[in-house]
């Protein structure tokens, strides 16, 4: 009853007034008394009383008029009307006007009043709880919308930052070598990343990395990988001597492997890293769990390059192999993240066969391959898709 302490009783009949007032005081209410309709309307104000009890038969105005004025002033204030058996039609009208309940006079049982008041207070308590629940829900919905907007802005900023870290595409190097890529994230941010660069006038080094998962956490790992490689390049003169290419490629893989293990982010990555020797027309490369393996396209068609090794971030050592492939005067190299296989149907071998056929038909041309895969027109992708191409003609 603590939420319904203040009550206005409008009753002219002394016997009824004394009994009802005593009952209400016994129920814990602080009762304000009015003996006429005009007095009751004068004492009423919205929010001042938690409940109003009014007789329908008052000396100066009808109880229905009192009810109408109270409801007009404060629609949420519950009103109980007191009526005699001869005023049943007025009771019906009172309920239509918004009365919460009625009591028939003469009232001689305290329990009748207690039951009616209890029913109203319980209903009001439930209504108040519902209002508070709706308000809480609306507030949380507003907070959720605000948080989503902040997250979207953060993700957009992250996407722009990740794009800034990516190299220009396409990019022409000496000896007619062109590097290009297409990166299509499944969300705002991608767990795929590529990079390439010229070292001296002879070697073009490059990599494609695919971090497990996608979204913000995976994108942050791609930034970590680029930072680690750039730090390594500042510390050591990589890709400057032919006889050191083998060790340079392995050192990059081991560095990234150590970084992922040390961060304990529960993230691993697959990677294809290589260096093109434009003078000797040779490709030196290593594969760290990359699926599918890169494809080399020559006048004889497209074929998968061999290579195996453990993914990065799972084991202390990866048993990576550095392999070599001789290159003809005209060739294309195509490397894809595993998300590209989701664009095909069938089991893994069937999907790889379809991808190799598409690479062959495109002759390793990035735009032609992306068009054949409908990569630029797909509305939603289940995984990040990245295609890296290097070519010389």
């Amino acid at each position: 009853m603590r939420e319904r302490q203040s009550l206005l009783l409008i009753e002219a009949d002394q016997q009824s007034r004394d009994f009802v007032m005593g009952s209400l005081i016994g129920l814990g209410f602080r009762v304000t008394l009015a003996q006429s309709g005009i007095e009751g309307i004068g004492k009423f104000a919205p929010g001042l009383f938690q409940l109003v009890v009014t007789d329908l038969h008052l000396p100066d105005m009808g109880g229905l008029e009192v009810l109408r004025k109270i409801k007009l002033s404060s629609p949420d204030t519950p009103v109980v009307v007191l009526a005699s058996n001869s005023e049943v039609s007025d009771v019906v009208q009172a309920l239509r006007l918004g009365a919460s309940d009625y009591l028939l006079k003469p009232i001689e049982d305290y329990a009748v009043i207690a039951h009616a008041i209890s029913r109203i207070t319980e209903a009001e308590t439930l209504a108040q709880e519902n209002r508070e629940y709706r308000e809480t829900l609306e507030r949380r919905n507003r907070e959720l919308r605000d948080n989503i907007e902040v997250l979207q802005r953060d993700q957009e900023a992250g996407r722009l930052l990740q794009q800034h870290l990516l190299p220009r595409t396409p990019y022409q190097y000496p000896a007619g070598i062109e590097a290009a890529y297409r990166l299509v994230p499944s969300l705002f941010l991608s767990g795929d990343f590529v990079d390439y660069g010229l070292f001296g006038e002879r070697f073009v080094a490059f990599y494609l990395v695919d971090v497990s998962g996608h979204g913000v956490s995976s994108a942050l790992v791609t930034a970590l990988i680029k930072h680690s490689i750039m730090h390594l390049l500042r510390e050591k003169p990589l890709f400057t001597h032919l006889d050191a290419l083998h060790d340079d490629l392995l050192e990059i893989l081991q560095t990234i492997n150590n970084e992922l293990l040390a961060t304990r982010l529960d993230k691993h990555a697959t990677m294809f890293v290589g260096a093109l020797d434009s003078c000797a027309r040779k490709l030196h490369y290593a594969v760290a769990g990359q699926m599918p393996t890169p494809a080399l396209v020559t006048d004889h068609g497209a074929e998968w390059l061999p290579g195996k090794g453990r993914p990065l971030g799972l084991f202390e050592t990866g048993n990576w192999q550095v392999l070599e492939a001789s290159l003809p005067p005209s060739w294309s190299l195509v490397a894809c993240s595993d998300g590209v296989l989701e664009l095909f149907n069938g089991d893994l071998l069937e999907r790889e066969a379809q991808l190799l056929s598409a690479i062959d038909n495109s002759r390793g041309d990035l735009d032609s391959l992306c068009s054949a895969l409908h990569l630029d027109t797909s509305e939603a992708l289940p995984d990040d898709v990245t295609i890296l191409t290097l070519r010389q003609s």
Side-chain angles (χ1 to χ4, degrees), residues 287-344:
V287 175
Q290 186 68 37
M291 287 290 292
T293 56
L296 182 63
V297 185
T298 66
D299 292 339
H300 301 291
E303 60 180 356
W304 298 120
L305 290 175
K308 62 180 181 179
R310 292 172 174 173
L312 307 173
L314 295 177
F315 307 97
E316 293 294 334
T317 59
N319 297 329
W320 307 295
Q321 300 175 340
V322 177
L323 304 175
E324 297 180 12
S326 297
L327 301 173
S330 179
W331 55 270
S332 294
L333 179 66
V334 180
C336 306
S337 63
D338 63 0
V340 75
L341 296 175
E342 300 294 331
L343 304 176
F344 299 97

Side-chain angles (χ1 to χ4, degrees), residues 60-376:
D60 55 347
M61 71 168 60
L64 291 178
E65 183 64 20
V66 173
L67 171 63
R68 187 180 292 108
K69 289 181 179 296
I70 289 176
K71 282 296 181 180
L72 183 63
S73 174
S74 180
D76 293 333
T77 300
V79 179
V80 176
V81 297
L82 306 176
S84 64
N85 289 327
S86 62
E87 296 173 316
V88 173
S89 60
D90 288 342
V91 168
V92 174
Q93 183 63 19
L95 294 175
R96 289 176 179 172
L97 290 174
S100 300
D101 206 343
Y102 67 93
L103 296 173
L104 293 178
K105 300 165 61 176
I107 305 171
E108 299 175 346
D109 188 351
Y110 168 86
V112 172
I113 298 177
H115 180 69
I117 299 302
S118 175
R119 189 165 56 242
I120 291 173
T121 54
E122 288 175 0
E124 285 300 302
T125 299
L126 180 60
Q128 179 63 27
E129 290 175 352
N130 287 338
R131 286 192 293 270
E132 292 175 354
Y133 175 76
R134 287 196 300 271
E135 291 172 358
T136 300
L137 186 61
E138 291 172 358
R139 183 179 70 254
R140 290 180 178 175
N141 283 338
R142 288 193 299 269
E143 293 172 353
L144 179 60
R145 287 193 296 269
D146 292 343
N147 290 336
I148 289 175
E149 290 177 0
V150 171
L151 179 60
Q152 288 175 336
R153 290 195 297 269
D154 288 347
Q155 287 184 327
E156 180 63 22
R159 185 178 69 86
L160 293 175
L161 177 60
Q162 190 176 50
Q163 289 180 339
H164 179 73
L165 295 175
L166 289 163
R168 284 185 290 172
T169 180
Y171 196 83
Q172 297 287 338
Y173 290 107
I177 296 175
E178 179 190 90
Y181 68 90
R182 192 70 50 84
L183 192 157
V184 182
S186 58
L187 300 174
F188 274 93
L189 298 167
S190 174
D192 293 355
F193 198 79
V194 299
D195 206 358
Y196 36 73
L198 178 66
F199 294 82
E201 297 182 356
R202 180 172 181 174
F203 303 109
V204 176
F206 57 90
Y207 67 85
L208 183 153
V209 66
D210 181 357
V211 178
S212 60
H214 40 263
V216 175
S217 61
S218 297
L220 290 174
V221 175
T222 66
L224 172 65
I225 290 173
K226 167 140 187 173
H227 170 77
S228 299
I229 292 176
M230 296 303 295
H231 180 75
L232 182 61
L233 291 173
R234 288 192 297 269
E235 294 292 320
K236 295 186 177 182
L238 303 182
F239 307 118
T240 56
H241 302 287
L242 178 60
D243 56 2
L245 289 183
H246 179 282
D247 293 336
D248 293 343
L249 295 173
L250 290 180
E251 185 162 7
I252 286 178
L253 293 176
Q254 191 62 58
T255 297
I256 302 305
N257 190 63
N258 293 341
E259 287 282 1
L260 293 179
L261 290 173
T263 57
R264 301 184 184 277
L265 293 174
D266 195 27
K267 289 287 184 180
H268 64 274
T270 62
M271 191 172 189
F272 169 56
V273 59
L276 290 167
D277 183 350
S278 60
C279 294
R281 290 188 179 277
K282 277 194 172 183
L283 167 66
H284 303 258
Y285 69 94
V287 175
Q290 186 68 37
M291 287 290 292
T293 56
L296 182 63
V297 185
T298 66
D299 292 339
H300 301 291
E303 60 180 356
W304 298 120
L305 290 175
K308 62 180 181 179
R310 292 172 174 173
L312 307 173
L314 295 177
F315 307 97
E316 293 294 334
T317 59
N319 297 329
W320 307 295
Q321 300 175 340
V322 177
L323 304 175
E324 297 180 12
S326 297
L327 301 173
S330 179
W331 55 270
S332 294
L333 179 66
V334 180
C336 306
S337 63
D338 63 0
V340 75
L341 296 175
E342 300 294 331
L343 304 176
F344 299 97
N345 297 317
D347 59 28
L348 178 59
L349 292 179
E350 291 171 334
R351 295 184 184 198
E352 288 184 332
Q354 294 173 64
L355 174 59
L356 187 62
S357 176
I359 293 173
D360 190 19
N361 292 334
S362 70
R363 304 302 302 155
D365 178 73
L366 179 62
D367 292 334
S368 299
L369 180 57
C370 290
S371 177
L373 299 179
H374 305 289
L375 188 57
D376 297 323

